[in-house]
Amino acid sequence: MDSRGVTEQPTSYERPEAGVDPAEPRGALARSSAPRATSTRPSGGGAALPAQARTGETPSTPGTTAPSGPSEEPPVIVGNGPEHAQPSVAEPDAHRPRPAPEAIPPQPGAEQPPASAERRTGQGVQPGRPTPMRRDGDRLRFVGAATRRIARGIDLDEIVMGLCRATVPTFSDAILVYLRDPLPVGDERPTGPVVLRLRRTDRIPEERDTEGFLPPAPPADPAELSGLSAVTAELCEVRPGGALAEVLRGVRPVFADAPAARAALPELLGEEGESIIPDGQRAILAPLRGRRRVIGAAVFLRRPERLAFEPDDLLVAAQLATHSALGIDKAVLYGREAYIADELQRTMLPETLPRPTGVRLASRYLPAAETARVGGDWYDAIPLPGSRVALVVGDVMGHSMTSAAIMGQLRTTAQTLAGLDLPPQEVLHHLDEQAQRLGTDRMATCLYAVYDPVAHRITIANAGHPPPVLLHLGGHAEVLRVPAGAPIGVGGVDFEAVELDAPAGATLLLYTDGLVESRLRDVWTGIEQLREKLAATAQLTGPDHPPPLEALCDDVLDMLGPGDRDDDIALLAARFDGIAPSDVAYWHLDPEDAAPGRARRLARGALSGWGMEELTDSVELLVSEIVTNAVRYASRPVTLRLLRTDVLRCEVGDDVPQLPRLRQARATDEDGRGLYLVNRLARRWGATRLSTGKVVWFELNRGSDAG
């Protein structure tokens, strides 16, 4: 049996089959090539299709016979289908129409139009025809179907579109939806005048048949609802005490021919918008009231040739407006919550990574889902004194805003502890104490590592976190043996640090468990897959060239397959370049009066050996000032170190914890000008407190006498 089916859409219209005379009922919806078994057709004239449940037409009722013209045809039964009814396949004994949608129930005793007027020309029924929703039960079923469609939306555009698609063409021929700009959120009290913006319009299209099956629609006139957005104002400021403000304050829908609406519509639609309002009760102005205030308005329009609205249709419009307004309120609150969550997560993670000397960094962060972007995973890179850098990655339990807030507190604590230059195990110990102060169930894992580019060493302490993976220059990837330790928040446990080699060209990968653990694999299987992925990626670039850092991060994330995204993922990759011993000069100076002079001579010799004599005068002056301040209060030897990288960096360390303070010396003062000179001549400078004292440092651009 050859059959064809057509899918019904809310605003679609049935078309006859191609190549068949439109007067023939065979070309309307479905056609069967098999002979008719139980019914015969008289030869005198074609019978029209039973009326479909569409705007401006009268559907049939189950158990009733639909007369269709002079010729006699067996009765066709039309039942109530779901809101999106699928067409049934034509059977050999009858040409079945599609079931009537739930939105327009059939009516008993409805007279069917003749075949010539019954076809879908898009012009609607003539005045005097019974309306599709004459009974209260019909309206209830329509409102139920329409509100279900509106409730499907989760964001603002989906809800507004659901309102338009549910009402056009079933309830009205066109709709205009205005919303406040900006939309108020929650309890906040809007400031400034109330402004309504035209958010969306929808109407029955003029050309419903693009393939030439149906007669063309009549030419549009000013009342034909075409070009709604062209003749209506996009913005409307509601004047306090005006007619529109009174209608919105009344909340209830009103007909356009009511005195209040007749004065309010020109204010809403603009000077030219009044021309689209048909005469009679063919337009309804319905305010949209949310939970606390009016947030917009909707205008329902019907064509002049269509039956006018009835008083009971005001109740339908009120239901549609209420459900839409509450849905819009929900969408606005959801959007604000998602915005707050995104902002919270964005501010909790570093915007950019630092560029410390001797190491290159790259990072990635992936939330567990687009609809829940907040989580407790974080990463950080913190510059430390002596050109060192602290690498941190952690994971707080949970995926809520509370987890993100706890993560932010722990990250801030870790940054503060790193500024004190504490050993990694001490940092984890203080983080554990901080987590216990935050609450009883504040659990997190964390890995804290400190890389020294001069010594080419890295010190790592772990608190229940997955171990890092080190990719060597030759392509060998190894999982570092780091004591696991207990998670942060357990309390009463010690943390152990290990010191390992960090050869130049190697890459250290820190990550959270979301990268290696999922419902499909355990954590150790995932770690082994990660190690193999890194080794395979390194083979592509050869043994002498490490893979590009950014591309390496992307390749690592490519190992995730469907079902592997059960948790947030934080990834931090560090490429160790190091600082060559030939670019480092280091001395110890006894705290005596001759120390500044000796420091000047040592610095001059180092600059001469590096071919940087043009910086000699500036370096001697600044080194002399800083060393003089150090030996004045120090009780142990003072350290002096010069580093040659893309800049020249000088570091002076002593055992005094008090940090120097920049101040403007008076004309009568004999001292206090050293840091002023450093601030004027150096490119950058700073002072950092250590566990054994402090370090004062400055940087100069290479090839320049001043910063």
Side-chain angles (χ1 to χ4, degrees):
M1 177 179 66
D2 181 20
S3 62
R4 297 177 176 87
V6 180
T7 302
E8 180 179 356
Q9 299 295 336
T11 57
S12 64
Y13 288 80
E14 295 82 1
R15 300 171 178 169
E17 218 173 57
V20 181
D21 186 359
E24 287 288 327
R26 295 175 299 143
L29 289 178
R31 180 179 183 183
S32 172
S33 59
R36 298 170 63 94
T38 60
S39 63
T40 59
R41 187 193 326 202
S43 58
L49 282 174
Q52 299 298 305
R54 287 291 181 179
T55 302
E57 300 182 6
T58 306
S60 301
T61 306
T64 61
T65 302
S68 56
S71 60
E72 297 181 359
E73 187 78 6
V76 179
I77 306 301
V78 180
N80 288 339
E83 181 185 3
H84 298 284
Q86 297 296 325
S88 58
V89 180
E91 297 181 2
D93 59 341
H95 297 288
R96 287 188 179 179
R98 290 175 296 179
E102 182 183 351
I104 309 179
Q107 306 174 53
E111 182 182 356
Q112 300 297 333
S116 59
E118 186 178 77
R119 240 170 317 273
R120 307 289 175 168
T121 62
Q123 303 179 25
V125 297
Q126 298 297 325
R129 284 291 167 83
T131 178
M133 291 185 290
R134 180 73 69 178
R135 299 177 302 173
D136 292 340
D138 301 342
R139 290 186 172 89
L140 288 176
R141 282 189 288 271
F142 164 72
V143 170
T147 52
R148 283 195 301 271
R149 184 161 195 167
I150 294 170
R152 293 191 192 116
I154 194 173
D155 61 21
L156 182 61
D157 292 332
E158 289 178 349
I159 293 173
V160 174
M161 182 182 295
L163 171 63
C164 295
R165 296 290 174 84
T167 55
V168 178
T170 307
F171 181 70
S172 63
D173 295 325
I175 184 175
L176 298 94
V177 181
Y178 286 83
L179 296 180
R180 292 183 66 164
D181 186 26
L183 277 167
V185 180
D187 295 331
E188 68 180 22
R189 189 174 299 275
T191 59
V194 177
V195 177
L196 299 181
R197 178 182 293 275
L198 181 61
R199 185 77 183 195
R200 186 179 179 87
T201 64
D202 204 354
R203 62 182 178 84
I204 299 177
E206 295 180 23
E207 297 294 336
R208 304 182 183 90
D209 184 17
T210 60
E211 301 180 12
F213 291 147
L214 303 177
D221 54 43
E224 267 294 330
L225 309 182
S226 59
L228 293 176
S229 58
V231 298
T232 55
E234 183 181 359
L235 289 176
C236 165
E237 181 175 340
V238 181
R239 297 190 300 270
L244 180 58
E246 293 298 324
V247 173
L248 297 179
R249 188 179 296 111
V251 177
R252 297 183 178 181
V254 293
F255 288 121
D257 58 352
R262 193 180 300 114
L265 283 173
E267 182 181 347
L268 177 65
L269 305 179
E271 298 178 358
E272 300 180 359
E274 193 176 3
S275 62
I276 68 172
I277 303 299
D279 296 331
Q281 293 182 354
R282 289 182 172 83
I284 295 177
L285 173 58
L288 303 177
R289 177 176 175 81
R291 291 173 175 82
R292 293 173 176 85
R293 60 182 65 86
V294 174
I295 60 174
V299 181
F300 304 94
L301 303 170
R302 283 185 180 177
R303 297 178 183 270
E305 66 271 13
R306 185 176 176 182
L307 287 178
F309 289 109
E310 297 182 353
D312 287 343
D313 290 327
L314 293 177
L315 300 178
V316 176
Q319 288 292 324
L320 297 176
T322 299
H323 282 275
S324 300
L326 294 177
I328 291 171
D329 255 0
K330 174 190 66 176
V332 172
L333 290 173
Y334 174 80
R336 172 59 65 88
E337 182 179 351
Y339 170 78
I340 293 174
D342 284 346
E343 286 295 303
L344 178 63
Q345 187 70 41
R346 185 186 62 82
T347 54
M348 292 303 178
L349 296 175
E351 288 189 17
T352 58
L353 292 174
R355 296 182 178 180
T357 303
V359 61
R360 286 173 287 171
L361 302 172
S363 63
R364 295 291 187 273
Y365 175 79
L366 293 180
E370 289 297 325
T371 56
R373 299 185 60 88
V374 291
D377 294 17
W378 90 91
Y379 62 88
D380 213 342
I382 309 168
L384 299 178
S387 299
R388 296 170 300 151
V389 59
L391 307 173
V392 191
V393 65
D395 183 6
V396 178
M397 291 193 310
H399 302 91
S400 63
M401 295 183 66
T402 302
S403 301
I406 295 172
M407 176 266 286
Q409 292 175 300
L410 293 180
R411 178 175 177 245
T412 302
T413 304
Q415 289 179 327
T416 304
L417 296 172
L420 299 177
D421 198 31
L422 298 178
Q425 65 272 21
E426 290 296 325
V427 172
L428 294 184
H429 175 72
H430 289 291
L431 283 177
D432 179 60
E433 293 180 341
Q434 175 67 11
Q436 295 179 64
R437 285 191 291 266
L438 295 177
T440 56
D441 296 329
R442 303 301 187 244
M443 304 285 291
T445 63
C446 182
L447 192 145
Y448 188 93
V450 176
Y451 170 65
D452 188 343
V454 177
H456 295 272
R457 302 282 288 178
I458 185 168
T459 306
I460 306 175
N462 191 5
H465 203 78
V469 180
L470 184 65
L471 177 63
H472 292 269
L473 183 60
H476 172 64
E478 65 170 327
V479 179
L480 298 183
R481 297 181 178 273
V482 180
I488 290 173
V490 173
V493 296
D494 292 330
F495 299 98
E496 183 181 354
V498 294
E499 187 173 352
L500 305 170
D501 288 331
T507 304
L508 183 69
L509 200 70
L510 308 180
Y511 53 91
T512 56
D513 58 357
L515 180 65
V516 295
E517 185 180 20
S518 69
R519 290 170 294 180
L520 304 179
R521 60 185 178 185
D522 62 83
V523 61
W524 290 108
T525 301
I527 292 174
E528 180 61 23
Q529 292 178 358
L530 174 61
R531 189 193 65 79
E532 294 174 354
K533 181 67 175 180
L534 290 174
T537 303
Q539 296 297 327
L540 300 177
T541 57
D544 299 329
H545 301 281
L549 205 56
E550 296 291 341
L552 180 64
C553 293
D554 294 334
D555 289 342
V556 167
L557 295 180
D558 287 342
M559 65 179 284
L560 298 172
D564 287 349
R565 291 286 304 281
D566 298 333
D567 198 357
D568 302 343
I569 297 175
L571 179 66
L572 179 63
R575 174 71 44 78
F576 299 143
D577 294 333
I579 300 177
S582 59
D583 293 328
V584 181
Y586 187 81
W587 305 278
H588 286 275
L589 305 174
D590 293 329
E592 55 187 13
D593 295 340
R598 183 167 180 260
R600 289 193 296 269
R601 292 192 299 271
L602 294 174
R604 186 187 313 118
L607 294 177
S608 177
W610 289 338
M612 303 171 65
E613 291 86 353
E614 68 276 5
L615 296 180
T616 300
D617 293 339
S618 298
V619 171
E620 286 188 4
L621 176 60
L622 300 183
V623 166
S624 178
E625 292 292 338
I626 296 177
V627 171
T628 298
N629 291 335
V631 299
R632 177 176 300 178
Y633 305 102
S635 59
R636 296 180 180 179
V638 175
T639 61
L640 172 63
R641 184 165 72 170
L642 297 180
L643 302 174
R644 181 183 63 168
T645 57
D646 54 339
V647 297
L648 179 67
R649 181 182 177 98
C650 176
E651 300 173 351
V652 177
D654 58 59
D655 60 346
V656 181
Q658 287 78 17
L659 299 181
R661 181 171 55 90
L662 179 65
R663 63 184 180 87
Q664 184 70 40
R666 294 173 295 180
T668 57
D669 292 341
E670 296 183 357
D671 55 9
R673 296 175 177 84
L675 289 182
Y676 178 77
L677 292 176
V678 174
N679 186 60
R680 291 297 302 269
L681 297 179
R683 173 179 176 267
R684 290 195 312 157
W685 76 279
T688 305
R689 183 178 286 111
L690 305 177
S691 57
T692 58
K694 68 174 180 296
V695 168
V696 181
W697 57 269
F698 66 86
E699 292 178 353
L700 292 175
N701 291 324
R702 297 178 58 175
S704 174
D705 290 336

